[in-house]
Amino acid sequence: MTQEQVLILDFGSQFGQLIARRVREQNVFCQIVRHDLSADRIRELNPKGIILSGGPASVYEPGAPHCDPKIFDLGIPVLGICYGMQLACQALGGKVGGGSHTREYGRATLTVTDANSLFRAYPPESTVWMSHGDQVQDAAGEFVALASTDTCPNAAVKHRTRPIFGLQFHPEVAHTPHGGQVLANFLRDVCGCTGQWKMQAFIDETVAGIRAKVGKNRVICGLSGGVDSSVCAALLLKAIGPQVACIYVDNGLMREGETEVVRHTFRDWFKADLHVVDAKDRFLSELAGVTDPQQKRKIIGKVFIDVFKHEAKSIADAKFLAQGTLYPDVIESGGSVDGPAATIKLHHNVGGLPAELGFDLVEPLRDLFKDEVRRIGLDLGLPEKVVGRHPFPGPGLAVRCLGEVTEAKLATLRKADTIFLEELHKSGWYKKTSQAFAVLLPVQSVGVMGDGRTYENAICLRCVQTDDFMTADWSRLPEDLLARVATAIINKVKGINRVVYDISSKPPATIEWE
């Protein structure tokens, strides 16, 4: 896709994706690849730089992951982070050790002793985030220290003669306030990256790639109403217009007004060939009496495939199926040739369909993170209310309607959810949070409404903030906002007499309830 890229060798770091995001923020394209990628393959890929990620292992333990030592002879700049730094130093003659005196977890004060190269325009002292039990104890004269902390004299190092650098701290996390400057210095000053990877360039290159791959054949795009599938469809429509057929399956488990938004956006605005399939009755019939969350998911997935396949057969000359796979999906499932595994994780809405229908896959967003997808969506003309929407689970409201799913319970949940989201929009909190929704609980409690006692249902409100959805913290919504939402739900939604707010974080809880 681009002549200028950086490779991130993955050693199992919990921050691997975050490193990639920070590199992309510098307008430099990057890929996360296997830690044992050969030097010959790296030479073929011709990166401007290599970043060795952190990882949970100790470099001196049997079976610890190692990179091909020949990569240090390629002349390509290398930046090792935490475990990656220890690995580089050990490979080039240094000594790594552990012990209680070497451990650092959490914030530490970094003192810069060499303000050139990595630490150009960096504060002499700053806070950094440490997470290590081992550290480089002896650099064997090959490396010189650039910065230190109270317990780590080699908190940052560079090789005396090669373009190889190491950081014991994590520059990619928010807890290292000036970490972006270190990465920028490495990418621009050391690697010579020009920062030319822009979203418009991605759009132009992807459009050309879609046209070359598809030719004159038709492409089916599964629409869910979510951000990923909507941007995927918009990109396809820009590339090949009338050759695209969009299929939207209304399963009766969507948010309030979802189907109308999809119709307006793609049929009225983009003039797309949109197939809206009303399958509400079938989904609800299959879900009748089912309370187990995993069984619900299986039923919804099976019925979706059946409905989608039936509609897809009505589209003549379709040879390709498009899905909104994002880069985190590719990383986690090893969907890259040079990635950590070898199978592609299919989008929840079209899982199994390419093989069953004999389609080839088109995944125009597979190199992008969520925030990049949103920016592209706006550039393609999608309305902000579509691009800025919070994530919505594949099984829809079925996993937010605990217990048996019925039409009446879904109607109650939709009304409560709509009130919550409308109040978040009006107060400005919707954009400040990452995901918010209502959950209908399978419990009833006593209440008093008017002069009588009630025994009715409870709604739980869930609102979280997160960067990557791997971890999440509950949103500290203002008390008066929560009070307005609770009052409105109890007054306007029949059958609800109690509203609670979920203040659990992930982990140990998950974001969704089922």
Side-chain angles (χ1 to χ4, degrees), residues 210-460:
I210 291 171
R211 290 171 179 165
K213 180 173 183 176
V214 170
K216 295 183 179 180
N217 295 302
R218 299 208 74 191
V219 179
I220 294 175
C221 180
L223 271 178
S224 67
V227 176
D228 304 340
S229 68
S230 296
V231 174
C232 179
L235 196 52
L236 287 163
L237 289 165
K238 179 178 177 64
I240 53 176
Q243 293 172 237
V244 182
C246 298
I247 297 179
Y248 170 79
V249 177
D250 186 349
N251 58 15
L253 306 171
M254 299 299 190
R255 290 169 284 198
E256 187 73 35
E258 190 91 42
T259 302
E260 289 70 25
V261 170
V262 170
R263 276 201 181 99
H264 174 68
T265 302
F266 289 95
R267 182 173 291 167
D268 301 341
W269 195 332
F270 283 101
K271 308 302 180 185
D273 177 14
L274 176 65
H275 298 239
V276 176
V277 185
D278 185 350
K280 294 189 288 289
D281 292 344
R282 180 172 176 184
F283 277 89
L284 290 176
S285 174
E286 294 280 352
L287 287 168
V290 178
T291 59
D292 179 75
Q294 292 307 315
Q295 188 63 20
K296 284 190 212 176
R297 291 175 180 271
K298 289 178 181 178
I299 290 171
I300 293 167
K302 180 181 181 301
V303 175
F304 177 87
I305 288 177
D306 289 345
V307 172
F308 194 98
K309 282 171 62 178
H310 183 270
E311 187 63 26
K313 290 177 182 177
S314 70
I315 301 168
D317 302 321
K319 302 295 183 184
F320 295 87
L321 180 68
Q323 61 182 33
T325 307
L326 302 192
Y327 196 44
D329 301 323
V330 176
I331 296 168
E332 290 167 8
S333 61
S336 168
V337 173
D338 296 312
T343 57
I344 295 176
K345 173 184 175 183
L346 295 178
H347 192 274
H348 62 75
N349 276 348
V350 292
L353 282 171
E356 290 190 33
L357 295 179
F359 289 150
D360 290 329
L361 270 177
V362 177
E363 297 173 303
L365 307 178
R366 62 181 281 115
D367 287 328
L368 301 182
F369 288 102
K370 192 79 167 188
D371 56 328
E372 295 168 332
V373 171
R374 293 187 194 277
R375 295 206 304 272
I376 282 180
L378 293 174
D379 289 344
L380 291 170
L382 282 169
E384 199 279 334
K385 67 179 181 180
V386 172
V387 174
R389 300 184 88 183
H390 287 179
F392 189 62
L397 295 178
V399 294
R400 296 175 180 175
C401 181
L402 275 58
E404 183 183 9
V405 179
T406 67
E407 194 166 359
K409 290 170 70 175
L410 288 169
T412 297
L413 177 57
R414 271 194 203 93
K415 290 177 183 176
D417 190 66
T418 300
I419 289 170
F420 185 28
L421 297 183
E422 285 178 347
E423 288 293 339
L424 288 175
H425 277 293
K426 286 191 288 188
S427 65
W429 271 90
Y430 187 85
K431 291 185 177 180
K432 298 178 185 178
T433 57
S434 305
Q435 192 169 5
F437 53 90
V439 180
L440 181 61
L441 303 182
V443 295
Q444 292 184 313
S445 63
V446 175
V448 177
M449 303 181 85
D451 294 325
R453 289 166 62 85
T454 62
Y455 194 66
E456 294 182 329
N457 297 308
I459 283 286
C460 177

